[in-house]
Amino acid sequence: MNRTAMRASQKDFENAMNQVKLLKKDPGNEVKLKLYALYKQATEGPCNMPKPGVFDLISKAKWDAWNALGSLPKEAARQNYVDLVSSLSPSLESSSQVEPGTDRKSTGFETLVVTSEDGITKIMFNRPTKKNAINTEMYHEIMRALKAASKDDSIITVLTGNGDYYSSGNDLTNFTDIPPGGVEEKAKNNAVLLREFVGCFIDFPKPLIAVVNGPAVGISVTLLGLFDAVYASDRATFHTPFSHLGQSPEGCSSYTFPKIMSPAKATEMLIFGKKLTAGEACAQGLVTEVFPDSTFQKEVWTRLKAFAKLPPNAVRISKEVIRKREREKLHAVNAEECNVLQGRWLSDECTNAVVNFLSRKSKL
Ligand SMILES: CCCC/C=C/CC(=O)SCCNC(=O)CCNC(=O)[C@H](O)C(C)(C)COP(=O)(O)OP(=O)(O)OC[C@H]1O[C@@H](n2cnc3c(N)ncnc32)[C@H](O)[C@@H]1OP(=O)(O)O
């Protein structure tokens, strides 16, 4: 579209607004902010709102985007909005043309690739450009995938990551989407979500195996204490920087880690944030076996395929016998950890850590 020759009519603008509602693929926060800013500029003119406080991350990002448009005339903003929406259309068309039978369409997952063959259901975290950080959608999809795997005809279930990371843990942008009830409601919702999520791991009825293809952070590490076997590439590292983030242990790690690796070693990880190599994690019992990265996939999958040929009922019953006497305790620990975390998420220590990461002032 020739921007100088054409001026979008009100009708074009309204069509574009409707098109946005029909987007099948999330265009990402950056584009959504641009759309918001252009919409406000086109309908209300230059930014006329008071600047939000630094901790009100979403409102501040919106305000920044709108304010950045300065005195752009309403007509130009309307045109830019229409242009931006039409530039999103090709990607929309191509995403809706995915052939039936491809992973995405057949599984119905946006953040995971879930496959099932040779008696193994594989749940692969699939946000490699975000180091497989677990956003709210992914928490829900993992629960859905686990529930389906618990009922399918596979013998074992495997979690792994796509790309260079296993997972960088909780997606820190999960803290920015503040509901009308404010940060208290957000913290409560996150605690409810976390409790349900960890509960699915506690109750999972088949052997759960982690194939840790690269670094693991936060909740992706703590959950390993609830797995039945953990195989790691020698590229993997294990890091739970809870104190650095103003947070506290989750995933039942306050109970499982001291049992697995001794209280003192657990303290180094969970309180002081010591990052372990794969070899160290293996020596401390968190990892079952470490493989050279060059042969990792081949060796691990050969082994898992052999496990998956074992008699299904015996495998399931053995898992139940092992988990049974711990289940109640694990649920109680999970509830307590979520409760404590709900308070931590409201603390200045946590808010500052999240703001620093999101404003690119800090990394682990
Ligand atoms: C609701 C339940 C809550 C349960 C609570 C659980 C607690 C935890 O899990 S605590 C652990 C939280 N995780 C982190 O603090 C990790 C933060 N990420 C980093 O420090 C670094 O990204 C990294 C060390 C993992 C990787 O650094 P590297 O330089 O190699 O890559 P980046 O350029 O930083 O990352 C690429 C891309 O991915 C985004 N990203 C990575 N991890 C996260 C994350 N955890 N949350 C949000 N976004 C993440 C990063 O911002 C980059 O995005 P852009 O390309 O858009 O800039």
Side-chain angles (χ1 to χ4, degrees):
M1 192 178 291
N2 180 342
R3 285 163 197 253
T4 49
M6 288 188 70
R7 278 273 174 250
S9 64
Q10 182 60 24
K11 183 98 184 107
D12 294 333
F13 184 54
E14 280 162 16
N15 284 343
M17 283 192 282
N18 287 332
Q19 246 181 299
V20 167
K21 288 184 204 139
L22 297 174
L23 287 176
K24 291 204 177 91
K25 196 172 158 200
D26 187 331
N29 286 342
E30 209 176 313
V31 172
K32 283 195 278 193
L33 277 174
K34 267 191 202 147
L35 287 170
Y36 166 82
L38 288 168
Y39 170 82
K40 293 295 274 183
Q41 192 86 7
T43 53
E44 295 179 35
C47 182
N48 53 12
M49 307 259 292
K51 189 173 180 175
V54 68
F55 294 130
D56 193 353
L57 295 171
I58 297 270
S59 304
K60 184 165 177 307
K62 285 174 158 179
W63 186 90
D64 285 340
W66 184 10
N67 191 49
L69 294 179
S71 56
L72 183 74
K74 280 185 173 181
E75 300 71 29
R78 199 162 66 180
Q79 180 66 58
N80 290 355
Y81 183 96
V82 171
D83 286 349
L84 179 54
V85 173
S86 74
S87 77
L88 298 173
S89 299
S91 72
L92 278 174
E93 279 156 21
S94 67
S95 75
S96 63
Q97 283 166 8
V98 176
E99 290 294 318
T102 61
D103 283 334
R104 190 163 168 263
K105 223 174 179 159
S106 60
T107 62
F109 294 102
E110 293 290 330
T111 65
L112 306 174
V113 175
V114 182
T115 48
S116 204
E117 63 176 340
D118 298 326
I120 304 173
T121 291
K122 179 169 88 168
I123 300 172
M124 184 164 71
F125 308 137
N126 192 30
R127 298 183 73 215
T129 58
K130 297 288 178 188
K131 309 291 181 193
N132 296 323
I134 309 176
N135 61 8
T136 305
E137 184 179 23
M138 195 158 158
Y139 283 110
H140 286 287
E141 290 197 344
I142 293 170
M143 289 193 279
R144 182 151 59 87
L146 284 175
K147 279 174 192 152
S150 72
K151 294 192 203 107
D152 70 15
D153 59 4
S154 64
I155 313 300
I156 60 178
T157 299
V158 173
L159 263 71
T160 192
N162 185 16
D164 60 342
Y165 260 65
Y166 175 67
S167 167
S168 62
N170 185 45
D171 189 314
L172 295 173
T173 65
N174 285 344
F175 293 113
T176 61
D177 179 16
I178 309 295
V183 286
E184 284 82 8
E185 187 183 333
K186 182 74 197 172
K188 188 163 174 237
N189 293 345
N190 277 345
V192 169
L193 173 64
L194 180 62
R195 185 168 170 186
E196 190 189 352
F197 179 72
V198 174
C200 288
F201 286 81
I202 297 172
D203 290 333
F204 194 71
K206 300 177 183 179
L208 197 54
I209 317 283
V211 171
V212 186
N213 54 297
V217 184
I219 190 162
S220 74
V221 177
T222 55
L223 283 174
L224 297 175
L226 296 172
F227 279 62
D228 301 289
V230 178
Y231 298 116
S233 151
D234 59 8
R235 259 190 352 94
T237 53
F238 300 83
H239 194 191
T240 51
F242 298 129
S243 300
H244 299 73
L245 293 166
Q247 298 184 38
S248 51
E250 27 62 356
C252 294
S253 58
S254 63
Y255 177 67
T256 57
F257 278 31
K259 272 177 67 132
I260 291 169
M261 58 179 66
S262 89
K265 293 288 186 194
T267 295
E268 279 199 317
M269 274 195 91
L270 296 176
I271 303 182
F272 300 130
K274 182 180 177 194
K275 189 195 283 185
L276 302 190
T277 63
E280 287 166 341
C282 191
Q284 292 179 19
L286 183 63
V287 165
T288 314
E289 194 169 333
V290 181
F291 298 83
D293 194 55
S294 54
T295 56
F296 177 57
Q297 297 291 344
K298 190 163 178 278
E299 290 195 60
V300 167
W301 287 103
T302 303
R303 184 176 302 193
L304 294 178
K305 281 178 190 169
F307 289 168
K309 291 200 170 72
L310 290 165
N313 291 336
V315 167
R316 210 180 167 106
I317 288 167
S318 298
K319 161 108 192 206
E320 175 59 13
V321 166
I322 296 168
R323 178 54 48 99
K324 198 174 164 185
R325 71 180 61 88
E326 289 283 26
R327 186 173 292 122
E328 207 179 313
K329 173 76 183 170
L330 290 168
H331 279 299
V333 170
N334 181 28
E336 191 190 347
E337 287 178 348
C338 293
N339 203 22
V340 173
L341 258 176
Q342 186 176 333
R344 285 280 81 216
W345 288 327
L346 295 171
S347 70
D348 287 348
E349 289 177 346
C350 179
T351 307
N352 290 340
V354 173
V355 169
N356 283 342
F357 175 75
L358 296 178
S359 57
R360 296 294 180 265
K361 281 194 212 135
S362 78
K363 244 177 220 191
L364 295 173

